[in-house]
Amino acid sequence: MDPPPSPPQSSFIPPSQLPSPPQNPNPNIQSDSIPNWGQNPNLTHYIDISVPKKRRRGRSQRNPASFHSPHTPNAITSSSSSSAVAAAPVSISSIRIPPPLSTPAQDFSDEIIVINKEAKTEAMIALTAGFPADSLSEEEIETGVIPVIGGIEQVNYTLIRNHIIAKWRENVSVWVTKKMFTDYIPQHYNALLDSAYNYLVSHGYINFGIASAIKDKMPTESSKARVIIIGSGLAGLAAARQLMRFGFKVTVLEGRKRAGGRVYTKKMEVGSRVGAAAELGGSVLTGTLGNPLGIVARQLGDSLHKVRDKCPLYSVDGKPVNPDMDVKVESAFNRLLDKASRLRQLMGEVSVDVSLGAALETFRQVYKDAVNDEEMKLFNWHLANLEYANAGLLSHLSLAFWDQDDPYDMGGDHCFLPGGNGKLIQALAENVPILYEKTVNTIRYGSDGVQVIAGSQVFEGDMALCTVPLGVLKKGSIKFIPELPQRKLDGIKRLGFGLLNKVAMLFPHVFWEMDLDTFGHLSDDPSRRGEFFLFYSYATVAGGPLLIALVAGEAAHKFESMPPTDAVTKVLQILKGIYEPKGISVPEPIQTVCTRWGSDPFCFGSYSNVAVGASGDDYDILAESVGDGRLFFAGEATNRRYPATMHGAFLSGLREAANMAHHANIRSMNVKVEKTPSNAHSCASVLADLFREPDIEFGSFSIIFAKKNADPKSPAILRVTFGEPKKKYHEVAKQDQQQHSNKLLFQQLQSHFNQKQQLHVYTLLSRQQVLDLREVRGGDEMRLNYLCEKLGVKLVGRKGLGLNADSVIASIKAERGNRKPVSTSMSLKPGVSKLKAGIMKRKIIRKAKVVKKSNGSIPPASMNVGSSSKVSEENRIIDQVLPDVLASGNNQNDLSNSNPSINGS
């Protein structure tokens, strides 16, 4: 074990002596008037960092935007150069002091602790661990890590929290103790140190994994309640190890003969001949900055192999795709997605009931530029790649929320683990009591505990954790007694669960290029565009000459019934078409394996996605416990921030271990847990109550603000109400339904308006901007145009407002507390909200997967749009596309059997 680090020097600076903070680049609103100002993605942050959109699997983007990360000792290494660079220290003048949202019971301190000069570096490390760099997370607020939100105490807490995280990341093989910090954090900050340390340990942000120092903390005997875990995938194993360390008696029930769930590394070999480790399930660590599985790999002593950016594409005849055409089609594909993203902003919450495929098809019909067959094949390859990124058909993906997890991208390289991810499973399963071939069919839960039935065996416990995939819940393979709440059943139904299949081939030798990890192949059949469209080379990490061909989209479903010999024959034909013209002979494979994840009774698919009608809220709903803290749920489909990822599953297991321990502790103290509505419902209710008495109203616009703050730059919340949309849009549809040909999108919108009579969208403005908006003449249409074009703001759903608005709402609610309340239904927890990123953020696809956006390309949705060309373009979208999406015509539900136009405008 490494000795404790030398304590850095600490010092204190009274706020009165702090230099003036840098001027806010958005002068319209005063940042000092909003607690947690930095949480607003549209506004400045005291740490100037650029968080990339989530990069999915596959071919890398050209000229990706750089993501600067702090350099830490023992950082995750790969076979190529690291992308991490050292960040400059933050000056104390950069640190904001958010005002408290309530008067503290006692004055804690008027000094800001300065642990060392690397506050910015440590804040960035905390950011990669999933925390706001300079404020509290929602989970911390709900846990009550500090008694008062805002003020100096919160600043000091976050500095201490960030420091503890950074200290453990320096050497993840040690057990970080509280004593390591008491030598240089003064005694009167012990309460904050205790709170931060206990929170980080209990919630699995530090001191987790399989290092010897951590395994030594496992108690020899269990002293707490009995827990039954269903499933030994990454979620189940992470939870099991944490709960065992907490002292719980854990039993894991696994239906298969192996652990790992959808992570499956198969050893391919024939006798004593060459062998290789084939990843038949989860394969790529998507982002290494803060990835907990990267930390486990470090504890194993393994370095990671960066998936290299080079990814050549080959046409149907095996010839390389023309580079100029490649660039042209890629740009056109991105523009089409950008138009769809802009459309969802204009549609607001209506886009919840519209598919991404229908929106793309609408633009294909509006922008009718002729392209040749080769360009269309390449375009369809990008569509297949998009379907692979989401494990779902474009016609099933929600236009509003298909990319809702983008803001939480961990950043860093995409990597392979040499030898396979099975090494992680093996290490995590060590000494965990797993009973194999126990297929659970019934779970009973009640106030006295749980019963889990597998065949003829009954396992009893105080609590149970269900980690089965979403596909199993959708199939109803497990009977819950009593039935799960309707809220959870509806969430299970709404979320999508896609499919990805693979063909793994072990060859006698490597015949392909060794300087690449991926290459792609085009199809001449749009309905089979995802069939063997991408190849992964594992020769550098698998221990042998291994290739894996991917099958995505509609082709993945057809593949389920394709004979394995036919699949292998098709793959070999593709490989021969590529390499034999180069004079390279393609040998017969030694061994082949074809996956059938859709037919697997333990998962019925690959991973989750946000389908039409669903939202990120549904991930949270799936994560909710039932039965007064007796039955819990984990897995990638319960992780709103990191769905469809291995680390998302792992983190959900750590999350639920903390939740289960919390409920067990409460029961041991005989304290009744109050059932409180989820924050989503609380925020909605409070906001609705406040808008019953708006401070300003004109047309369809309502505004609330804190009357005590008369500064014109002070914040206000604006709500726009779209009323009686049914009549309006039905009239448009009747007029145009014979003139246009997008029946599916019309049907989706019609269904939406049949169900919803009103639509509320919001934004955060300054008081002066509200007054200027009120003076705009020409009615609501001109005011909307002024908002979007002149001010460059977005109208979002209530949760899209973010943490800043929650703080404003809390202050308005507190100010109105002396009035007779219109409603006293619920109270707001200040600072608690989740980003509805599907409306606020948009995704740009480069090459094969969603990656970081290049500099100089189309600006993100959060940026201002003001040029005349932009105004003209967006007006054209409003005038042309919105009527088109309401028209009736041909029944084409996605782009699988059509040729979307490539528009160069």
Side-chain angles (χ1 to χ4, degrees), residues 592-661:
T592 61
V593 177
C594 298
T595 66
R596 297 284 191 272
W597 287 108
S599 306
D600 188 318
F602 300 110
C603 59
F604 296 108
S606 298
Y607 41 93
S608 63
N609 55 57
V610 186
V612 173
S615 72
D617 293 345
D618 290 313
Y619 289 111
D620 293 336
I621 292 172
L622 259 66
E624 293 172 351
S625 62
V626 299
D628 292 328
R630 294 294 183 176
L631 178 58
F632 299 78
F633 293 83
E636 56 86 13
T638 70
N639 195 323
R640 181 187 190 130
R641 291 190 172 194
Y642 311 109
T645 63
M646 293 185 289
H647 59 270
F650 186 86
L651 288 170
S652 74
L654 298 179
R655 177 199 71 213
E656 291 311 305
N659 288 338
M660 297 172 83

Side-chain angles (χ1 to χ4, degrees), residues 438-443 452-457 476-480:
K438 302 297 181 184
T439 302
V440 172
N441 49 60
T442 304
I443 298 176
V452 180
I453 303 172
S456 59
Q457 292 182 278
S477 303
I478 298 177
K479 183 178 182 180
F480 293 91

Side-chain angles (χ1 to χ4, degrees), residues 323-372:
D324 293 336
M325 183 178 69
D326 194 356
V327 172
K328 175 185 176 183
V329 174
E330 177 186 357
S331 298
F333 179 74
N334 287 338
R335 281 195 298 270
L336 189 62
L337 274 171
D338 186 61
K339 288 176 172 59
S341 296
R342 181 57 181 157
L343 175 63
R344 75 176 173 191
Q345 292 181 27
L346 297 171
M347 297 173 73
E349 291 190 353
V350 181
S351 59
V352 171
D353 295 322
V354 176
S355 72
L356 176 63
L360 292 175
E361 175 65 7
T362 298
F363 279 104
R364 184 197 71 80
Q365 295 180 17
V366 171
Y367 300 98
K368 296 179 179 178
D369 290 340
V371 294
N372 60 46

Side-chain angles (χ1 to χ4, degrees), residues 15 307 392 459 550:
V307 179
F459 299 86
L550 304 184

Side-chain angles (χ1 to χ4, degrees), residues 423-595:
K423 295 165 67 175
L424 301 176
I425 299 299
Q426 183 179 359
L428 291 169
E430 181 183 0
N431 296 326
V432 174
I434 305 175
L435 302 180
Y436 294 102
E437 298 185 85
K438 302 297 181 184
T439 302
V440 172
N441 49 60
T442 304
I443 298 176
R444 299 177 183 270
Y445 61 95
S447 58
D448 295 331
V450 296
Q451 285 186 337
V452 180
I453 303 172
S456 59
Q457 292 182 278
V458 178
F459 299 86
E460 295 186 341
D462 297 281
M463 296 178 289
L465 174 62
C466 181
T467 72
V468 300
L470 175 61
V472 175
L473 296 176
K474 282 180 169 290
K475 283 284 186 179
S477 303
I478 298 177
K479 183 178 182 180
F480 293 91
I481 303 175
E483 183 59 275
L484 295 176
Q486 192 60 46
R487 168 182 168 85
K488 187 178 286 286
L489 293 175
D490 292 342
I492 291 169
K493 183 178 180 180
R494 283 191 298 263
L495 277 178
F497 197 62
L499 183 61
L500 173 70
N501 276 314
K502 301 181 179 182
V503 177
M505 296 162 293
L506 177 64
F507 291 93
H509 60 268
V510 175
F511 59 86
W512 57 93
E513 299 87 343
M514 286 293 290
D515 62 341
L516 53 80
D517 295 311
T518 56
F519 61 92
H521 179 261
L522 278 55
S523 173
D524 56 2
D525 182 354
S527 68
R528 293 185 177 273
R529 63 193 179 205
E531 187 176 86
F532 316 125
F533 82 103
L534 189 66
F535 288 78
Y536 274 115
S537 168
Y538 283 85
T540 55
V541 294
L546 180 70
L547 273 181
I548 292 183
L550 304 184
V551 190
E554 184 181 351
H557 294 271
K558 295 178 179 178
F559 184 82
E560 291 281 321
S561 58
M562 182 185 294
T565 53
D566 292 355
V568 173
T569 299
K570 286 189 174 186
V571 174
L572 289 176
Q573 287 175 350
I574 292 172
L575 294 173
K576 290 176 180 179
I578 294 173
Y579 289 101
E580 288 187 349
K582 301 178 182 180
I584 300 174
S585 177
V586 177
E588 290 294 315
I590 297 174
Q591 188 180 4
T592 61
V593 177
C594 298
T595 66

Side-chain angles (χ1 to χ4, degrees), residues 52 92 122 170 180 200 224 292 311 325 446 538 632:
I92 193 66
E122 293 182 347
E170 289 179 1
M180 292 180 180
L200 293 173
K224 296 184 179 180
C311 181
M325 183 178 69
Y538 283 85
F632 299 78

Side-chain angles (χ1 to χ4, degrees), residues 20-67:
S20 300
Q23 185 177 3
N24 191 332
N26 184 349
N28 296 317
I29 305 178
Q30 284 187 337
S31 61
D32 289 344
S33 64
I34 308 177
N36 298 327
W37 173 260
Q39 290 302 305
N40 191 333
N42 299 318
L43 308 173
T44 187
H45 196 289
Y46 87 86
I47 294 178
D48 185 18
I49 52 180
S50 176
V51 180
K53 296 174 182 177
K54 181 177 179 182
R55 297 192 298 167
R56 306 265 184 178
R57 311 143 189 86
R59 189 180 181 191
S60 177
Q61 169 191 348
R62 292 188 182 92
N63 303 318
S66 59
F67 177 68

Side-chain angles (χ1 to χ4, degrees), residues 259-399:
R262 284 166 283 172
V263 178
Y264 180 29
T265 305
K266 180 177 176 59
K267 190 71 173 178
M268 297 180 66
E269 56 189 355
V270 179
S272 60
R273 300 179 68 182
V274 66
E279 297 287 15
L280 301 183
S283 56
V284 181
L285 295 183
T286 51
T288 53
L289 298 179
N291 192 317
L293 296 179
I295 290 174
V296 175
R298 287 168 59 189
Q299 293 172 337
L300 286 173
D302 288 325
S303 60
L304 300 177
H305 171 80
K306 176 190 174 184
V307 179
R308 290 166 286 189
D309 295 341
K310 183 179 179 181
C311 181
L313 298 182
Y314 296 94
S315 191
V316 177
D317 58 7
K319 295 179 181 179
V321 169
N322 180 278
D324 293 336
M325 183 178 69
D326 194 356
V327 172
K328 175 185 176 183
V329 174
E330 177 186 357
S331 298
F333 179 74
N334 287 338
R335 281 195 298 270
L336 189 62
L337 274 171
D338 186 61
K339 288 176 172 59
S341 296
R342 181 57 181 157
L343 175 63
R344 75 176 173 191
Q345 292 181 27
L346 297 171
M347 297 173 73
E349 291 190 353
V350 181
S351 59
V352 171
D353 295 322
V354 176
S355 72
L356 176 63
L360 292 175
E361 175 65 7
T362 298
F363 279 104
R364 184 197 71 80
Q365 295 180 17
V366 171
Y367 300 98
K368 296 179 179 178
D369 290 340
V371 294
N372 60 46
D373 290 342
E374 284 303 308
E375 288 177 336
M376 288 315 310
K377 292 171 186 174
L378 180 55
F379 199 96
N380 279 320
W381 185 89
H382 284 283
L383 295 176
N385 190 50
L386 180 57
E387 291 181 318
Y388 162 47
N390 294 274
L393 302 178
L394 296 182
S395 58
H396 294 174
L397 296 177
S398 166
L399 172 63

